[in-house]
Structure formats: structure tokens, C-alpha cells
mmCIF file of all heavy atoms in Angstrom:
data_model
loop_
_atom_site.group_PDB
_atom_site.id
_atom_site.type_symbol
_atom_site.label_atom_id
_atom_site.label_comp_id
_atom_site.label_asym_id
_atom_site.label_seq_id
_atom_site.Cartn_x
_atom_site.Cartn_y
_atom_site.Cartn_z
ATOM 1 N N LYS A 1386 26.425 -46.146 0.415
ATOM 2 C CA LYS A 1386 26.429 -47.113 1.508
ATOM 3 C C LYS A 1386 25.163 -47.054 2.360
ATOM 4 O O LYS A 1386 24.935 -47.910 3.201
ATOM 5 C CB LYS A 1386 27.653 -46.883 2.413
ATOM 6 C CG LYS A 1386 28.985 -46.979 1.691
ATOM 7 C CD LYS A 1386 29.223 -48.357 1.134
ATOM 8 C CE LYS A 1386 30.553 -48.432 0.404
ATOM 9 N NZ LYS A 1386 30.771 -49.777 -0.194
ATOM 10 N N THR A 1387 24.343 -46.020 2.165
ATOM 11 C CA THR A 1387 23.148 -45.867 2.998
ATOM 12 C C THR A 1387 21.862 -45.787 2.179
ATOM 13 O O THR A 1387 20.833 -45.382 2.671
ATOM 14 C CB THR A 1387 23.259 -44.601 3.872
ATOM 15 O OG1 THR A 1387 23.534 -43.473 3.013
ATOM 16 C CG2 THR A 1387 24.367 -44.719 4.882
ATOM 17 N N LYS A 1388 21.950 -46.167 0.913
ATOM 18 C CA LYS A 1388 20.802 -46.172 0.005
ATOM 19 C C LYS A 1388 20.173 -44.798 -0.137
ATOM 20 O O LYS A 1388 18.999 -44.650 -0.434
ATOM 21 C CB LYS A 1388 19.745 -47.183 0.471
ATOM 22 C CG LYS A 1388 20.253 -48.617 0.482
ATOM 23 C CD LYS A 1388 19.166 -49.586 0.912
ATOM 24 C CE LYS A 1388 19.692 -51.014 0.903
ATOM 25 N NZ LYS A 1388 18.672 -51.978 1.366
ATOM 26 N N ALA A 1389 20.967 -43.753 0.107
ATOM 27 C CA ALA A 1389 20.446 -42.388 0.005
ATOM 28 C C ALA A 1389 20.042 -42.037 -1.415
ATOM 29 O O ALA A 1389 19.258 -41.130 -1.642
ATOM 30 C CB ALA A 1389 21.465 -41.389 0.515
ATOM 31 N N LEU A 1390 20.606 -42.767 -2.389
ATOM 32 C CA LEU A 1390 20.261 -42.488 -3.777
ATOM 33 C C LEU A 1390 18.777 -42.735 -4.028
ATOM 34 O O LEU A 1390 18.166 -42.109 -4.876
ATOM 35 C CB LEU A 1390 21.096 -43.363 -4.725
ATOM 36 C CG LEU A 1390 22.570 -42.980 -4.855
ATOM 37 C CD1 LEU A 1390 23.300 -44.016 -5.687
ATOM 38 C CD2 LEU A 1390 22.713 -41.633 -5.513
ATOM 39 N N ASN A 1391 18.205 -43.640 -3.269
ATOM 40 C CA ASN A 1391 16.799 -43.973 -3.478
ATOM 41 C C ASN A 1391 15.849 -43.217 -2.549
ATOM 42 O O ASN A 1391 14.806 -42.756 -2.964
ATOM 43 C CB ASN A 1391 16.588 -45.488 -3.283
ATOM 44 C CG ASN A 1391 17.353 -46.295 -4.315
ATOM 45 O OD1 ASN A 1391 17.436 -45.900 -5.470
ATOM 46 N ND2 ASN A 1391 17.915 -47.419 -3.894
ATOM 47 N N ASN A 1392 16.244 -43.100 -1.282
ATOM 48 C CA ASN A 1392 15.294 -42.503 -0.341
ATOM 49 C C ASN A 1392 15.804 -41.248 0.352
ATOM 50 O O ASN A 1392 15.123 -40.697 1.204
ATOM 51 C CB ASN A 1392 14.885 -43.530 0.721
ATOM 52 C CG ASN A 1392 16.084 -44.058 1.501
ATOM 53 O OD1 ASN A 1392 17.115 -43.397 1.589
ATOM 54 N ND2 ASN A 1392 15.957 -45.251 2.068
ATOM 55 N N PHE A 1393 17.013 -40.815 -0.018
ATOM 56 C CA PHE A 1393 17.573 -39.578 0.522
ATOM 57 C C PHE A 1393 17.558 -39.578 2.052
ATOM 58 O O PHE A 1393 17.218 -38.615 2.707
ATOM 59 C CB PHE A 1393 16.787 -38.378 -0.026
ATOM 60 C CG PHE A 1393 17.563 -37.087 0.031
ATOM 61 C CD1 PHE A 1393 18.814 -37.016 -0.535
ATOM 62 C CD2 PHE A 1393 17.035 -35.959 0.621
ATOM 63 C CE1 PHE A 1393 19.540 -35.837 -0.493
ATOM 64 C CE2 PHE A 1393 17.756 -34.773 0.667
ATOM 65 C CZ PHE A 1393 19.002 -34.711 0.112
ATOM 66 N N SER A 1394 17.888 -40.715 2.628
ATOM 67 C CA SER A 1394 17.884 -40.876 4.077
ATOM 68 C C SER A 1394 19.302 -40.758 4.619
ATOM 69 O O SER A 1394 20.121 -41.661 4.453
ATOM 70 C CB SER A 1394 17.284 -42.234 4.453
ATOM 71 O OG SER A 1394 17.384 -42.451 5.834
ATOM 72 N N PHE A 1395 19.596 -39.644 5.253
ATOM 73 C CA PHE A 1395 20.919 -39.412 5.793
ATOM 74 C C PHE A 1395 20.977 -39.681 7.292
ATOM 75 O O PHE A 1395 19.975 -39.634 7.989
ATOM 76 C CB PHE A 1395 21.346 -37.953 5.575
ATOM 77 C CG PHE A 1395 21.698 -37.615 4.166
ATOM 78 C CD1 PHE A 1395 21.022 -36.628 3.486
ATOM 79 C CD2 PHE A 1395 22.715 -38.287 3.515
ATOM 80 C CE1 PHE A 1395 21.351 -36.308 2.189
ATOM 81 C CE2 PHE A 1395 23.060 -37.976 2.220
ATOM 82 C CZ PHE A 1395 22.370 -36.983 1.559
ATOM 83 N N LYS A 1396 22.204 -39.929 7.757
ATOM 84 C CA LYS A 1396 22.436 -39.830 9.192
ATOM 85 C C LYS A 1396 22.416 -38.331 9.498
ATOM 86 O O LYS A 1396 23.310 -37.610 9.095
ATOM 87 C CB LYS A 1396 23.825 -40.381 9.541
ATOM 88 C CG LYS A 1396 24.020 -41.863 9.321
ATOM 89 C CD LYS A 1396 25.479 -42.200 9.620
ATOM 90 C CE LYS A 1396 25.754 -43.671 9.374
ATOM 91 N NZ LYS A 1396 27.177 -43.995 9.594
ATOM 92 N N LYS A 1397 21.408 -37.858 10.167
ATOM 93 C CA LYS A 1397 21.284 -36.419 10.357
ATOM 94 C C LYS A 1397 22.325 -35.903 11.356
ATOM 95 O O LYS A 1397 22.335 -36.259 12.514
ATOM 96 C CB LYS A 1397 19.876 -36.048 10.834
ATOM 97 C CG LYS A 1397 18.784 -36.308 9.819
ATOM 98 C CD LYS A 1397 18.969 -35.510 8.544
ATOM 99 C CE LYS A 1397 18.649 -34.051 8.733
ATOM 100 N NZ LYS A 1397 18.731 -33.299 7.455
ATOM 101 N N THR A 1398 23.186 -35.071 10.874
ATOM 102 C CA THR A 1398 24.186 -34.416 11.707
ATOM 103 C C THR A 1398 23.764 -32.986 12.013
ATOM 104 O O THR A 1398 23.928 -32.494 13.119
ATOM 105 C CB THR A 1398 25.551 -34.408 10.994
ATOM 106 O OG1 THR A 1398 25.976 -35.750 10.804
ATOM 107 C CG2 THR A 1398 26.598 -33.672 11.809
ATOM 108 N N PHE A 1399 23.191 -32.321 11.000
ATOM 109 C CA PHE A 1399 22.758 -30.934 11.161
ATOM 110 C C PHE A 1399 21.241 -30.824 11.063
ATOM 111 O O PHE A 1399 20.592 -31.595 10.343
ATOM 112 C CB PHE A 1399 23.375 -30.055 10.064
ATOM 113 C CG PHE A 1399 24.862 -30.150 9.948
ATOM 114 C CD1 PHE A 1399 25.467 -30.671 8.809
ATOM 115 C CD2 PHE A 1399 25.680 -29.731 10.989
ATOM 116 C CE1 PHE A 1399 26.841 -30.768 8.691
ATOM 117 C CE2 PHE A 1399 27.061 -29.827 10.882
ATOM 118 C CZ PHE A 1399 27.642 -30.342 9.734
ATOM 119 N N THR A 1400 20.668 -29.860 11.759
ATOM 120 C CA THR A 1400 19.264 -29.528 11.562
ATOM 121 C C THR A 1400 19.144 -28.763 10.250
ATOM 122 O O THR A 1400 20.150 -28.382 9.647
ATOM 123 C CB THR A 1400 18.740 -28.641 12.708
ATOM 124 O OG1 THR A 1400 19.446 -27.386 12.670
ATOM 125 C CG2 THR A 1400 18.949 -29.306 14.068
ATOM 126 N N GLN A 1401 17.919 -28.509 9.791
ATOM 127 C CA GLN A 1401 17.730 -27.765 8.539
ATOM 128 C C GLN A 1401 18.368 -26.380 8.624
ATOM 129 O O GLN A 1401 18.982 -25.907 7.664
ATOM 130 C CB GLN A 1401 16.240 -27.641 8.213
ATOM 131 C CG GLN A 1401 15.653 -28.889 7.575
ATOM 132 C CD GLN A 1401 14.247 -28.660 7.063
ATOM 133 O OE1 GLN A 1401 13.421 -28.030 7.723
ATOM 134 N NE2 GLN A 1401 13.968 -29.173 5.879
ATOM 135 N N THR A 1402 18.211 -25.729 9.750
ATOM 136 C CA THR A 1402 18.813 -24.404 9.938
ATOM 137 C C THR A 1402 20.328 -24.500 9.918
ATOM 138 O O THR A 1402 21.019 -23.663 9.318
ATOM 139 C CB THR A 1402 18.366 -23.784 11.278
ATOM 140 O OG1 THR A 1402 16.947 -23.710 11.303
ATOM 141 C CG2 THR A 1402 18.936 -22.377 11.448
ATOM 142 N N GLU A 1403 20.871 -25.544 10.536
ATOM 143 C CA GLU A 1403 22.313 -25.715 10.589
ATOM 144 C C GLU A 1403 22.899 -26.064 9.222
ATOM 145 O O GLU A 1403 24.057 -25.749 8.946
ATOM 146 C CB GLU A 1403 22.668 -26.808 11.605
ATOM 147 C CG GLU A 1403 22.511 -26.367 13.049
ATOM 148 C CD GLU A 1403 22.811 -27.490 14.024
ATOM 149 O OE1 GLU A 1403 22.640 -28.674 13.639
ATOM 150 O OE2 GLU A 1403 23.217 -27.186 15.157
ATOM 151 N N GLU A 1404 22.098 -26.721 8.369
ATOM 152 C CA GLU A 1404 22.584 -27.061 7.026
ATOM 153 C C GLU A 1404 22.984 -25.808 6.250
ATOM 154 O O GLU A 1404 24.007 -25.789 5.574
ATOM 155 C CB GLU A 1404 21.510 -27.836 6.249
ATOM 156 C CG GLU A 1404 21.398 -29.289 6.658
ATOM 157 C CD GLU A 1404 20.346 -30.032 5.865
ATOM 158 O OE1 GLU A 1404 19.563 -29.377 5.144
ATOM 159 O OE2 GLU A 1404 20.290 -31.269 5.973
ATOM 160 N N ILE A 1405 22.180 -24.757 6.351
ATOM 161 C CA ILE A 1405 22.492 -23.503 5.660
ATOM 162 C C ILE A 1405 23.752 -22.881 6.241
ATOM 163 O O ILE A 1405 24.620 -22.390 5.506
ATOM 164 C CB ILE A 1405 21.308 -22.514 5.761
ATOM 165 C CG1 ILE A 1405 20.059 -23.100 5.091
ATOM 166 C CG2 ILE A 1405 21.676 -21.175 5.128
ATOM 167 C CD1 ILE A 1405 20.233 -23.396 3.619
ATOM 168 N N LYS A 1406 23.887 -22.925 7.564
ATOM 169 C CA LYS A 1406 25.088 -22.393 8.208
ATOM 170 C C LYS A 1406 26.312 -23.195 7.783
ATOM 171 O O LYS A 1406 27.376 -22.639 7.516
ATOM 172 C CB LYS A 1406 24.945 -22.447 9.732
ATOM 173 C CG LYS A 1406 23.914 -21.484 10.299
ATOM 174 C CD LYS A 1406 23.824 -21.618 11.810
ATOM 175 C CE LYS A 1406 22.775 -20.681 12.388
ATOM 176 N NZ LYS A 1406 22.646 -20.847 13.864
ATOM 177 N N ALA A 1407 26.137 -24.532 7.726
ATOM 178 C CA ALA A 1407 27.241 -25.400 7.334
ATOM 179 C C ALA A 1407 27.685 -25.122 5.897
ATOM 180 O O ALA A 1407 28.886 -25.066 5.603
ATOM 181 C CB ALA A 1407 26.843 -26.864 7.489
ATOM 182 N N ILE A 1408 26.718 -24.935 5.004
ATOM 183 C CA ILE A 1408 27.031 -24.629 3.600
ATOM 184 C C ILE A 1408 27.845 -23.342 3.501
ATOM 185 O O ILE A 1408 28.814 -23.257 2.734
ATOM 186 C CB ILE A 1408 25.741 -24.504 2.758
ATOM 187 C CG1 ILE A 1408 25.210 -25.879 2.383
ATOM 188 C CG2 ILE A 1408 25.982 -23.689 1.499
ATOM 189 C CD1 ILE A 1408 25.928 -26.573 1.244
ATOM 190 N N LYS A 1409 27.489 -22.343 4.279
ATOM 191 C CA LYS A 1409 28.206 -21.064 4.252
ATOM 192 C C LYS A 1409 29.644 -21.224 4.747
ATOM 193 O O LYS A 1409 30.584 -20.675 4.167
ATOM 194 C CB LYS A 1409 27.469 -20.019 5.099
ATOM 195 C CG LYS A 1409 26.164 -19.533 4.475
ATOM 196 C CD LYS A 1409 25.484 -18.490 5.346
ATOM 197 C CE LYS A 1409 24.194 -17.995 4.684
ATOM 198 N NZ LYS A 1409 23.472 -17.014 5.536
ATOM 199 N N ILE A 1410 29.806 -21.988 5.828
ATOM 200 C CA ILE A 1410 31.149 -22.216 6.357
ATOM 201 C C ILE A 1410 31.980 -22.996 5.346
ATOM 202 O O ILE A 1410 33.132 -22.644 5.056
ATOM 203 C CB ILE A 1410 31.080 -22.990 7.700
ATOM 204 C CG1 ILE A 1410 30.404 -22.139 8.779
ATOM 205 C CG2 ILE A 1410 32.498 -23.405 8.149
ATOM 206 C CD1 ILE A 1410 30.091 -22.889 10.056
ATOM 207 N N ILE A 1411 31.385 -24.048 4.798
ATOM 208 C CA ILE A 1411 32.075 -24.876 3.805
ATOM 209 C C ILE A 1411 32.497 -24.026 2.603
ATOM 210 O O ILE A 1411 33.636 -24.115 2.130
ATOM 211 C CB ILE A 1411 31.179 -26.047 3.353
ATOM 212 C CG1 ILE A 1411 31.012 -27.058 4.490
ATOM 213 C CG2 ILE A 1411 31.750 -26.730 2.108
ATOM 214 C CD1 ILE A 1411 29.904 -28.069 4.267
ATOM 215 N N THR A 1412 31.585 -23.198 2.112
ATOM 216 C CA THR A 1412 31.868 -22.361 0.941
ATOM 217 C C THR A 1412 33.029 -21.411 1.208
ATOM 218 O O THR A 1412 33.919 -21.245 0.361
ATOM 219 C CB THR A 1412 30.610 -21.562 0.528
ATOM 220 O OG1 THR A 1412 29.545 -22.475 0.236
ATOM 221 C CG2 THR A 1412 30.881 -20.708 -0.705
ATOM 222 N N ASN A 1413 33.043 -20.802 2.373
ATOM 223 C CA ASN A 1413 34.124 -19.867 2.707
ATOM 224 C C ASN A 1413 35.477 -20.564 2.767
ATOM 225 O O ASN A 1413 36.487 -20.030 2.291
ATOM 226 C CB ASN A 1413 33.825 -19.169 4.033
ATOM 227 C CG ASN A 1413 32.739 -18.112 3.903
ATOM 228 O OD1 ASN A 1413 32.549 -17.552 2.822
ATOM 229 N ND2 ASN A 1413 32.024 -17.845 4.981
ATOM 230 N N PHE A 1414 35.501 -21.773 3.320
ATOM 231 C CA PHE A 1414 36.778 -22.493 3.403
ATOM 232 C C PHE A 1414 37.171 -23.087 2.055
ATOM 233 O O PHE A 1414 38.365 -23.252 1.774
ATOM 234 C CB PHE A 1414 36.721 -23.558 4.495
ATOM 235 C CG PHE A 1414 37.003 -23.012 5.873
ATOM 236 C CD1 PHE A 1414 35.968 -22.669 6.720
ATOM 237 C CD2 PHE A 1414 38.309 -22.801 6.298
ATOM 238 C CE1 PHE A 1414 36.220 -22.142 7.980
ATOM 239 C CE2 PHE A 1414 38.582 -22.278 7.549
ATOM 240 C CZ PHE A 1414 37.523 -21.941 8.403
ATOM 241 N N LEU A 1415 36.191 -23.391 1.227
ATOM 242 C CA LEU A 1415 36.509 -23.834 -0.132
ATOM 243 C C LEU A 1415 37.188 -22.714 -0.921
ATOM 244 O O LEU A 1415 38.105 -22.959 -1.704
ATOM 245 C CB LEU A 1415 35.243 -24.298 -0.862
ATOM 246 C CG LEU A 1415 34.723 -25.680 -0.469
ATOM 247 C CD1 LEU A 1415 33.357 -25.925 -1.106
ATOM 248 C CD2 LEU A 1415 35.697 -26.779 -0.883
ATOM 249 N N LYS A 1416 36.756 -21.490 -0.709
ATOM 250 C CA LYS A 1416 37.395 -20.343 -1.360
ATOM 251 C C LYS A 1416 38.866 -20.263 -0.951
ATOM 252 O O LYS A 1416 39.752 -20.055 -1.784
ATOM 253 C CB LYS A 1416 36.677 -19.041 -0.979
ATOM 254 C CG LYS A 1416 35.316 -18.855 -1.615
ATOM 255 C CD LYS A 1416 34.716 -17.539 -1.142
ATOM 256 C CE LYS A 1416 33.333 -17.314 -1.721
ATOM 257 N NZ LYS A 1416 32.719 -16.064 -1.215
ATOM 258 N N LEU A 1417 39.102 -20.434 0.332
ATOM 259 C CA LEU A 1417 40.479 -20.405 0.823
ATOM 260 C C LEU A 1417 41.281 -21.553 0.216
ATOM 261 O O LEU A 1417 42.428 -21.372 -0.217
ATOM 262 C CB LEU A 1417 40.491 -20.511 2.349
ATOM 263 C CG LEU A 1417 41.864 -20.585 3.022
ATOM 264 C CD1 LEU A 1417 42.703 -19.360 2.698
ATOM 265 C CD2 LEU A 1417 41.708 -20.746 4.536
ATOM 266 N N HIS A 1418 40.669 -22.722 0.153
ATOM 267 C CA HIS A 1418 41.340 -23.899 -0.407
ATOM 268 C C HIS A 1418 41.673 -23.689 -1.887
ATOM 269 O O HIS A 1418 42.759 -24.056 -2.356
ATOM 270 C CB HIS A 1418 40.422 -25.117 -0.234
ATOM 271 C CG HIS A 1418 41.080 -26.439 -0.479
ATOM 272 N ND1 HIS A 1418 42.418 -26.687 -0.222
ATOM 273 C CD2 HIS A 1418 40.576 -27.603 -0.970
ATOM 274 C CE1 HIS A 1418 42.699 -27.942 -0.533
ATOM 275 N NE2 HIS A 1418 41.606 -28.522 -1.005
ATOM 276 N N ILE A 1419 40.759 -23.070 -2.614
ATOM 277 C CA ILE A 1419 40.997 -22.757 -4.028
ATOM 278 C C ILE A 1419 42.139 -21.758 -4.164
ATOM 279 O O ILE A 1419 43.054 -21.934 -4.979
ATOM 280 C CB ILE A 1419 39.715 -22.201 -4.691
ATOM 281 C CG1 ILE A 1419 38.678 -23.319 -4.865
ATOM 282 C CG2 ILE A 1419 40.029 -21.561 -6.048
ATOM 283 C CD1 ILE A 1419 37.301 -22.826 -5.273
ATOM 284 N N LYS A 1420 42.090 -20.697 -3.359
ATOM 285 C CA LYS A 1420 43.128 -19.653 -3.455
ATOM 286 C C LYS A 1420 44.510 -20.217 -3.158
ATOM 287 O O LYS A 1420 45.486 -19.906 -3.850
ATOM 288 C CB LYS A 1420 42.826 -18.493 -2.505
ATOM 289 C CG LYS A 1420 43.782 -17.311 -2.702
ATOM 290 C CD LYS A 1420 43.423 -16.128 -1.851
ATOM 291 C CE LYS A 1420 44.244 -14.900 -2.257
ATOM 292 N NZ LYS A 1420 45.711 -15.136 -2.256
ATOM 293 N N LYS A 1421 44.595 -21.055 -2.138
ATOM 294 C CA LYS A 1421 45.881 -21.647 -1.785
ATOM 295 C C LYS A 1421 46.416 -22.523 -2.919
ATOM 296 O O LYS A 1421 47.630 -22.548 -3.179
ATOM 297 C CB LYS A 1421 45.743 -22.472 -0.502
ATOM 298 C CG LYS A 1421 45.567 -21.651 0.764
ATOM 299 C CD LYS A 1421 46.865 -20.963 1.147
ATOM 300 C CE LYS A 1421 46.737 -20.247 2.480
ATOM 301 N NZ LYS A 1421 48.013 -19.596 2.876
ATOM 302 N N GLN A 1422 45.516 -23.221 -3.606
ATOM 303 C CA GLN A 1422 45.950 -24.054 -4.726
ATOM 304 C C GLN A 1422 46.433 -23.194 -5.896
ATOM 305 O O GLN A 1422 47.461 -23.478 -6.513
ATOM 306 C CB GLN A 1422 44.802 -24.964 -5.171
ATOM 307 C CG GLN A 1422 44.462 -26.047 -4.145
ATOM 308 C CD GLN A 1422 43.379 -26.993 -4.637
ATOM 309 O OE1 GLN A 1422 43.612 -27.814 -5.517
ATOM 310 N NE2 GLN A 1422 42.182 -26.870 -4.072
ATOM 311 N N VAL A 1423 45.693 -22.126 -6.181
ATOM 312 C CA VAL A 1423 46.096 -21.221 -7.267
ATOM 313 C C VAL A 1423 47.411 -20.527 -6.923
ATOM 314 O O VAL A 1423 48.313 -20.412 -7.765
ATOM 315 C CB VAL A 1423 44.985 -20.187 -7.554
ATOM 316 C CG1 VAL A 1423 45.475 -19.119 -8.533
ATOM 317 C CG2 VAL A 1423 43.740 -20.880 -8.109
ATOM 318 N N ASP A 1424 47.544 -20.087 -5.691
ATOM 319 C CA ASP A 1424 48.784 -19.419 -5.258
ATOM 320 C C ASP A 1424 49.998 -20.335 -5.382
ATOM 321 O O ASP A 1424 51.135 -19.864 -5.494
ATOM 322 C CB ASP A 1424 48.655 -18.956 -3.802
ATOM 323 C CG ASP A 1424 47.753 -17.745 -3.646
ATOM 324 O OD1 ASP A 1424 47.409 -17.125 -4.672
ATOM 325 O OD2 ASP A 1424 47.380 -17.428 -2.494
ATOM 326 N N ASN A 1425 49.755 -21.641 -5.353
ATOM 327 C CA ASN A 1425 50.869 -22.588 -5.401
ATOM 328 C C ASN A 1425 50.988 -23.314 -6.738
ATOM 329 O O ASN A 1425 51.651 -24.347 -6.827
ATOM 330 C CB ASN A 1425 50.743 -23.587 -4.253
ATOM 331 C CG ASN A 1425 51.172 -22.981 -2.932
ATOM 332 O OD1 ASN A 1425 52.353 -22.894 -2.633
ATOM 333 N ND2 ASN A 1425 50.195 -22.519 -2.152
ATOM 334 N N GLY A 1426 50.361 -22.750 -7.778
ATOM 335 C CA GLY A 1426 50.636 -23.248 -9.114
ATOM 336 C C GLY A 1426 49.502 -23.868 -9.895
ATOM 337 O O GLY A 1426 49.673 -24.204 -11.062
ATOM 338 N N ALA A 1427 48.332 -24.041 -9.287
ATOM 339 C CA ALA A 1427 47.207 -24.592 -10.042
ATOM 340 C C ALA A 1427 46.788 -23.590 -11.117
ATOM 341 O O ALA A 1427 46.580 -22.406 -10.826
ATOM 342 C CB ALA A 1427 46.028 -24.891 -9.118
ATOM 343 N N THR A 1428 46.672 -24.053 -12.354
ATOM 344 C CA THR A 1428 46.324 -23.157 -13.463
ATOM 345 C C THR A 1428 44.883 -23.326 -13.930
ATOM 346 O O THR A 1428 44.388 -22.542 -14.731
ATOM 347 C CB THR A 1428 47.265 -23.390 -14.657
ATOM 348 O OG1 THR A 1428 47.153 -24.765 -15.088
ATOM 349 C CG2 THR A 1428 48.703 -23.095 -14.285
ATOM 350 N N VAL A 1429 44.224 -24.371 -13.438
ATOM 351 C CA VAL A 1429 42.808 -24.618 -13.696
ATOM 352 C C VAL A 1429 42.226 -25.197 -12.413
ATOM 353 O O VAL A 1429 42.910 -25.929 -11.698
ATOM 354 C CB VAL A 1429 42.596 -25.636 -14.848
ATOM 355 C CG1 VAL A 1429 41.103 -25.958 -15.023
ATOM 356 C CG2 VAL A 1429 43.171 -25.128 -16.152
ATOM 357 N N ILE A 1430 40.977 -24.844 -12.118
ATOM 358 C CA ILE A 1430 40.292 -25.419 -10.960
ATOM 359 C C ILE A 1430 39.056 -26.181 -11.444
ATOM 360 O O ILE A 1430 38.283 -25.665 -12.257
ATOM 361 C CB ILE A 1430 39.853 -24.341 -9.943
ATOM 362 C CG1 ILE A 1430 41.078 -23.690 -9.286
ATOM 363 C CG2 ILE A 1430 38.921 -24.933 -8.883
ATOM 364 C CD1 ILE A 1430 41.889 -24.589 -8.366
ATOM 365 N N GLN A 1431 38.883 -27.408 -10.948
ATOM 366 C CA GLN A 1431 37.646 -28.145 -11.229
ATOM 367 C C GLN A 1431 36.864 -28.307 -9.937
ATOM 368 O O GLN A 1431 37.424 -28.637 -8.892
ATOM 369 C CB GLN A 1431 37.914 -29.514 -11.854
ATOM 370 C CG GLN A 1431 36.630 -30.315 -12.064
ATOM 371 C CD GLN A 1431 36.663 -31.232 -13.270
ATOM 372 O OE1 GLN A 1431 37.127 -30.857 -14.343
ATOM 373 N NE2 GLN A 1431 36.155 -32.439 -13.108
ATOM 374 N N ILE A 1432 35.553 -28.075 -10.023
ATOM 375 C CA ILE A 1432 34.655 -28.208 -8.876
ATOM 376 C C ILE A 1432 33.793 -29.450 -9.093
ATOM 377 O O ILE A 1432 33.024 -29.521 -10.047
ATOM 378 C CB ILE A 1432 33.770 -26.962 -8.710
ATOM 379 C CG1 ILE A 1432 34.640 -25.711 -8.496
ATOM 380 C CG2 ILE A 1432 32.810 -27.141 -7.530
ATOM 381 C CD1 ILE A 1432 33.859 -24.394 -8.530
#
């Protein structure tokens, strides 16, 4: 919707430093999300 495929122009929400912090937070919560799915019966996970 923002033609980012061509010019990689995002609505900037995070600074470059914050992007790394955001990735770390996201990754940690994704681990929790995966574990909760496996604990409740998921037998395969797709990323």
C-alpha cells in the first residue's frame, strides 16, 4: 500500500537503534507464542 516494494519507504515508527531493540522484543515474544502453540497441540511450526 506504500510502494515500499520499489523504494523501501516506510512510515518510520522506530529509529535505526530502536529497530534492533524492536526485533529483540518481537523475537522473544514470538518464542513465547510458538511455545504456547506447541503446548496446546501444534505438531509443526511454520515461520
Side-chain angles (χ1 to χ4, degrees):
K1386 302 297 179 182
T1387 54
K1388 298 182 179 178
L1390 287 173
N1391 297 322
N1392 59 24
F1393 202 54
S1394 175
F1395 287 121
K1396 294 176 182 177
K1397 294 299 287 184
T1398 297
F1399 307 115
T1400 64
Q1401 280 189 317
T1402 303
E1403 286 177 333
E1404 283 181 349
I1405 299 299
K1406 291 179 181 178
I1408 280 282
K1409 289 181 179 178
I1410 294 171
I1411 290 166
T1412 301
N1413 286 333
F1414 277 97
L1415 283 171
K1416 287 179 181 177
L1417 176 59
H1418 193 31
I1419 289 170
K1420 187 175 190 306
K1421 288 288 185 179
Q1422 291 184 72
V1423 172
D1424 286 348
N1425 283 280
T1428 59
V1429 176
I1430 293 292
Q1431 176 148 317
I1432 300 171

